[in-house]
Amino acid sequence: MNEQIQNIENQLSSYEFKASEDIEKFRIQFLGSKGLIKGLYALLRDVPNDKKKSSGQLINALKQKAESMLDAAKKNQTTSSSKKTHEDLTKPAPEVKLGSHHPLSIIRREIVDVFRKIGFSISEGPEIEDDWHNFSALNFPPEHPARDMQDTFFIEKGANEIALRTHTSSVQVRVMEGSTPPIRTISPGRVYRNEAISARAHCFFHQIEGLYIDEDVSFADLKQTLLFFAQEVFGSKAKIRLRPSYFPFTEPSAEVDVSCTICNSKGCNVCKYTGWLEILGCGMVDPNVLEASGIDSKKYSGFAFGMGVERIAQLKFKVNDLRMYSENDLRFLNQFKSTL
Ligand code: PHE
C-alpha cells in the first residue's frame, strides 16, 4: 500500500502544467471519481486494521496536496489571462507631457549667452558663505551700516560668521583669490535676503554679477559693455543711463536704467511715467577689494556689475508679481513653452 501511495506522490511532484487543458486533465487523473486517489481509498479496505489509520492519513495528505496544486494552477491561469484582456494594441499611446524651461532659466541663459559672446567665462560658488567672501573682502568694515543694506540670513553669528550669500559678488572674490588678471567672468546664482515676501520682494532671488579686471580698464569700458548687453537683451534701440550710487565694493558706483521698452520711453505705469527702468548696479572695483584678494591695485583696475534675473524677466515677460516665479503653478509655467 505504502509503495502505491509513494508512487502517486512521485507522479504528483513531477507534474508540470504546460497548457491550460492540463488543469482539467490533472483533476481527472488525480482527483476525479475514477482517479488515482479515489483508487487508493478503495484499496484501503484491504489494509490490515492496525495499519489503516496511518495509511488513511497518508492518502488524505496526498489528496490535499493535489487539491492545492489544482487551486494554484487555476489562479495562475486567471491572472495571466486577465492581463491579456487589458491589452488593446489598437489604443493610442498615453500622452507624454512635455515640460518647459522655467522663465528664469530662459532669461539666465539669454543673459549668459550675451556675455559669453564677448569673452566672459562663467563662475559658480557656494550658497552658504563665510563673512570674508560675502562682506569683509568686499570692503564692508565690521559694524558698517552698509551690511544692513542686505538683510542677511545668518547661520552662525560671531567671529566665524556663516550666512546665506546675499549676492554673488562672493563668487567673484573667490575667482580673484584663485587667479591672476586678466579676469573676465560672470557669476549667475541664487541669493538670499531676509525680506517679507510680497509681489515686489522675495527672500530669495537670482543674480548675474560680472567682473572684468585687467590693465587700464576704464569706466568707458563698463558703459560700453552694459550698452551692448542692454541692446542684445532689450533690442537695438535700447538706450541706457547711469545715475551715481553707492556700493562698498565699487568707487565710483552707479545705477543703470534702460529706456522703457514697454512704452518706448513715452511714459507708462511700469516706468512710472519716467521713460526709464532700473536694471542693475555697477562701478569700478574699489582698490581695497583688489588688494584684499591679492591683486596689485596699482597695476590693475576693473569694473563690476550685478543684476537680478527676476527683474529682467519681469521686464521681458511683463510679469509683475515676483512670487509667480517660485509657486510652480503650471498655468503660469506652461505659457513659456513657446519661448524655447
Ligand atoms: N552686489 C550688488 C548687489 O547685490 C550688485 C553690484 C554688483 C553692484 C557689482 C555693483 C557692482 O546689490
Side-chain angles (χ1 to χ4, degrees):
M1 177 78 200
N2 281 356
E3 222 172 84
Q4 280 153 316
I5 295 175
Q6 188 57 47
N7 183 8
I8 296 174
E9 157 93 63
N10 290 346
Q11 286 185 48
L12 263 186
S13 302
S14 57
Y15 196 93
E16 271 180 68
F17 292 94
K18 289 195 190 106
S20 55
E21 303 87 70
D22 288 349
I23 294 177
E24 186 57 8
K25 274 192 203 155
F26 176 90
R27 193 190 63 77
I28 295 168
Q29 187 183 344
F30 292 97
L31 295 163
S33 54
K34 291 184 186 140
L36 291 170
I37 292 172
K38 265 274 151 60
L40 285 176
Y41 283 115
L43 290 178
L44 203 55
R45 262 181 264 134
D46 305 330
V47 172
N49 274 346
D50 58 336
K51 298 221 172 97
K52 257 198 176 101
K53 192 176 174 202
S54 63
S55 296
Q57 281 169 345
L58 285 176
I59 301 171
N60 284 343
L62 201 60
K63 189 179 169 212
Q64 268 171 18
K65 183 173 172 172
E67 282 169 350
S68 58
M69 278 175 76
L70 185 69
D71 281 351
K74 279 185 187 161
K75 231 184 236 162
N76 237 341
Q77 193 199 29
T78 49
T79 50
S80 54
S81 65
S82 67
K83 235 186 244 160
K84 255 179 219 149
T85 56
H86 279 98
E87 276 167 31
D88 176 358
L89 297 177
T90 61
K91 263 188 177 171
E95 185 195 356
V96 178
K97 287 213 170 117
L98 289 181
S100 57
H101 283 276
H102 192 278
L104 294 180
S105 302
I106 296 169
I107 293 295
R108 186 197 53 211
R109 194 167 53 185
E110 192 177 329
I111 299 172
V112 165
D113 282 349
V114 170
F115 287 105
R116 220 200 313 249
K117 259 195 254 180
I118 50 174
F120 280 75
S121 65
I122 297 162
S123 45
E124 288 184 332
E127 293 186 10
I128 297 175
E129 262 299 4
D130 50 31
D131 174 88
W132 173 255
H133 291 97
N134 198 73
F135 289 124
S136 298
L138 288 160
N139 204 31
F140 286 83
E143 312 305 329
H144 192 277
R147 289 179 183 234
D148 295 339
M149 279 166 69
Q150 306 184 342
D151 302 290
T152 310
F153 281 118
F154 290 101
I155 293 172
E156 261 172 60
K157 280 221 171 203
N160 220 347
E161 212 152 86
I162 303 288
L164 294 178
R165 67 182 178 196
T166 59
H167 49 187
T168 57
S169 305
S170 55
V171 180
Q172 308 188 329
V173 174
R174 289 178 180 274
V175 172
M176 284 190 283
E177 285 172 342
S179 45
T180 47
I183 294 171
R184 214 173 341 173
T185 190
I186 50 169
S187 321
R190 183 174 287 184
V191 301
Y192 300 84
R193 294 189 194 174
N194 191 356
E195 306 228 19
I197 298 171
S198 71
R200 300 170 57 87
H202 213 298
C203 58
F204 69 85
F205 58 100
H206 300 80
Q207 279 193 325
I208 296 183
E209 296 217 348
L211 176 72
Y212 181 22
I213 300 172
D214 203 350
E215 291 177 31
D216 302 323
V217 175
S218 72
F219 204 93
D221 296 320
L222 168 62
K223 194 177 169 192
Q224 197 57 32
T225 304
L226 295 178
L227 179 63
F228 174 74
F229 156 76
Q231 294 185 335
E232 287 286 301
V233 173
F234 295 103
S236 56
K237 290 204 184 84
K239 293 192 195 79
I240 57 168
R241 75 173 183 188
L242 282 75
R243 288 177 284 109
S245 186
Y246 170 77
F247 299 102
F249 32 87
T250 45
E251 182 60 36
S253 305
E255 252 156 318
V256 179
D257 298 338
V258 65
S259 48
C260 184
T261 46
I262 293 162
C263 63
N264 284 326
S265 303
K266 287 188 190 81
C268 65
N269 61 355
V270 179
C271 63
K272 301 200 185 80
Y273 301 95
T274 62
W276 296 97
L277 301 160
E278 186 187 323
I279 52 165
L280 57 85
C282 65
M284 299 306 291
V285 181
D286 192 303
N288 287 346
V289 173
L290 296 176
E291 295 292 339
S293 298
I295 291 174
D296 183 354
S297 64
K298 291 194 186 68
K299 187 166 176 205
Y300 295 108
S301 57
F303 65 70
F305 57 87
M307 67 185 91
V309 179
E310 278 82 350
R311 174 74 179 147
I312 309 291
Q314 261 180 328
L315 298 177
K316 287 212 59 155
F317 296 135
K318 303 184 177 73
V319 173
N320 278 328
D321 191 331
L322 263 184
R323 292 167 295 193
M324 301 289 275
Y325 292 109
S326 49
E327 277 170 357
N328 283 338
D329 187 331
L330 287 179
R331 290 169 302 178
F332 173 67
L333 296 174
N334 276 336
Q335 295 178 49
F336 297 92
K337 273 196 177 147
S338 58
T339 331
L340 290 181

